[in-house]
Amino acid sequence: MKKLYGIFAALLFVSLAPAASLAAPTDPAPIEAIIADIEYGWENGDGTPFREHFLDFEGARYFESGGQNVGLEDLVSHHVEPEKDALEFLSLDFANIQVHFEGDFAWALADTLVKGKVRKSGYEFDKKGHQTFLFRHVDGAWKVVHTHSSSRDRRKD
């Protein structure tokens, strides 16, 4: 009977080992690197980091201060890339990044500072706010599935 329990325990271990090895990693560094790439993409009007790190799926929506983009191509083609020509400069800083994990799902919170100058009107903005990123671990990599940012004018002291 002891031998039967030993065999059962060994089979259970072997059957669970692959599942354990497929668990999503909980190191925040890859997610922080993705966020840094996204920051670069916004500042430079470069859609490449978005196409690399965002999961492109039907129903994807990205919110920014009351506006939204539906789908990855809408975000990149109608928001990220056009801003390069519309703005003289854009400076974005994601700070105080906090990453949380739950299985193959993760979310990150960040404080944001956004500064820029609109080329056409000369209007300069200086905003402060918060950003939320939602991630899924897909095919061995973390992918952004949703973002939401909200900011307001910084108070002048």
Side-chain angles (χ1 to χ4, degrees):
M1 189 68 154
K2 267 187 170 178
K3 189 174 186 179
L4 185 58
Y5 283 124
I7 292 171
F8 177 73
L11 288 173
L12 183 61
F13 176 76
V14 169
S15 67
L16 292 178
S21 67
L22 295 177
T26 58
D27 178 5
I31 287 179
E32 291 167 351
I34 290 169
I35 292 170
D37 286 352
I38 292 167
E39 182 177 311
Y40 171 87
W42 276 118
E43 288 181 331
N44 294 281
D46 183 354
T48 304
F50 297 86
R51 290 186 176 100
E52 179 182 344
H53 297 300
F54 280 54
L55 185 63
D56 192 10
F57 64 98
E58 188 175 333
R61 292 168 54 187
Y62 309 100
F63 300 138
E64 183 176 333
S65 295
Q68 74 171 322
N69 290 98
V70 178
L72 179 59
E73 192 54 35
D74 183 37
L75 174 67
V76 172
S77 297
H78 297 113
H79 201 130
V80 175
E81 293 175 342
E83 284 188 3
K84 182 177 183 178
D85 295 328
L87 300 175
E88 284 186 33
F89 75 91
L90 177 66
S91 171
L92 174 61
D93 181 36
F94 292 124
N96 190 27
I97 298 170
Q98 302 165 38
V99 181
H100 306 274
F101 297 93
E102 191 171 306
D104 69 348
F105 178 74
W107 66 99
L109 309 171
D111 296 336
T112 60
L113 296 177
V114 184
K115 293 181 181 184
K117 184 174 183 180
V118 179
R119 189 178 309 280
K120 191 174 183 180
S121 67
Y123 171 73
E124 290 190 46
F125 54 89
D126 184 359
K127 297 182 176 281
K128 180 178 179 179
H130 304 282
Q131 175 88 28
T132 303
F133 299 91
L134 303 182
F135 296 85
R136 274 189 41 216
H137 198 254
V138 178
D139 297 329
W142 287 107
K143 296 290 185 177
V144 177
V145 296
H146 180 72
T147 62
H148 188 161
S149 71
S150 182
S151 62
R152 60 178 75 162
D153 291 338
R154 286 175 68 175
R155 293 186 180 158
K156 307 291 184 207
D157 295 330

